[in-house]
Structures are given as C-alpha cells and as structure tokens.
Amino acid sequence: MMNNDIQITISTILALFGALAVVAGGVKVIMQLCSPFRRLIERITECEKRLDAHDTFLGNDKQEITDIKELTRENMRVNLALLNHFIDGNGVEKMKELREEIQDRIF
C-alpha cells in the first residue's frame, strides 16, 4: 500500500511538471507571435523620434533662409543707393540713412 502511495505521489509530481512544461511552451509560442508586433511598435517609435528631429532641423533651416532673404533684400537696397549715387551724384542723405541702418543691424 505504501509503495502504491509513493508511486501516485511521484506520478502526480511528474504530471504537474509536465503541465508546467506545456504551459511554459504555450507562453513561449505566444511571446514569439507577439514579438514582431513589439518590434514594429519600437521601430515606429524610433521613426517618430527621427521625424521630430528632422522637423526641428527643417524649421531651423527655414528660419535661416528667411534671414538670408532679408539680408539679400537689404544688400540690394544698398547697391541701388550706391548705383543711384554713382549715376547722378545725389542721394548722400539716403546713403547716410542706409549706413546707420546697417550699423544698427551689425552692432
């Protein structure tokens, strides 16, 4: 009788370990099925961060282009004033005004 009880206990323990192995195998399969989705979410998050960085760079570039356009426009005004002065010898006051504007902008 004692031998039969030990055999039942050992069989029960082995059955529990077997059930645990089956559950662990199932969990592993489920994790492998979910793994591509997790990697996809991580990749999307990484791409969104890179996109935000590019948006920042483009915003900075746009501001720089706007500043360059403004400086170019001011250069053209100065060149026009100089050209007019060379042609007719007048416009000294206009050139003084432009000089003051340039000095204010530089300093």
Side-chain angles (χ1 to χ4, degrees):
M1 178 84 105
M2 180 101 139
N3 197 10
N4 196 17
D5 288 339
I6 293 174
Q7 211 172 19
I8 291 174
T9 304
I10 291 174
S11 295
T12 304
I13 291 172
L14 289 175
L16 288 174
F17 281 128
L20 183 63
V22 168
V23 170
V27 169
K28 183 179 177 183
V29 168
I30 291 172
M31 292 301 288
Q32 286 176 346
L33 290 175
C34 293
S35 180
F37 296 111
R38 188 177 326 119
R39 283 185 297 210
L40 184 63
I41 291 170
E42 290 171 357
R43 185 157 187 240
I44 289 172
T45 303
E46 179 185 330
C47 288
E48 287 174 341
K49 288 178 185 177
R50 289 177 59 203
L51 182 62
D52 290 342
H54 287 295
D55 286 345
T56 302
F57 295 146
L58 288 175
N60 292 341
D61 290 347
K62 184 177 179 182
Q63 182 59 46
E64 289 295 322
I65 290 171
T66 302
D67 293 345
I68 289 170
K69 283 182 178 179
E70 184 180 332
L71 287 172
T72 302
R73 202 171 297 120
E74 289 177 9
N75 272 339
M76 294 303 291
R77 284 181 50 215
V78 170
N79 286 337
L80 182 62
L82 283 172
L83 182 62
N84 286 336
H85 178 71
F86 284 139
I87 292 172
D88 61 18
N90 294 328
V92 174
E93 291 303 316
K94 180 69 174 172
M95 289 177 60
K96 287 180 182 178
E97 289 174 18
L98 288 172
R99 180 183 63 193
E100 288 177 14
E101 286 180 30
I102 292 170
Q103 286 174 343
D104 290 342
R105 182 159 178 87
I106 293 173
F107 304 111

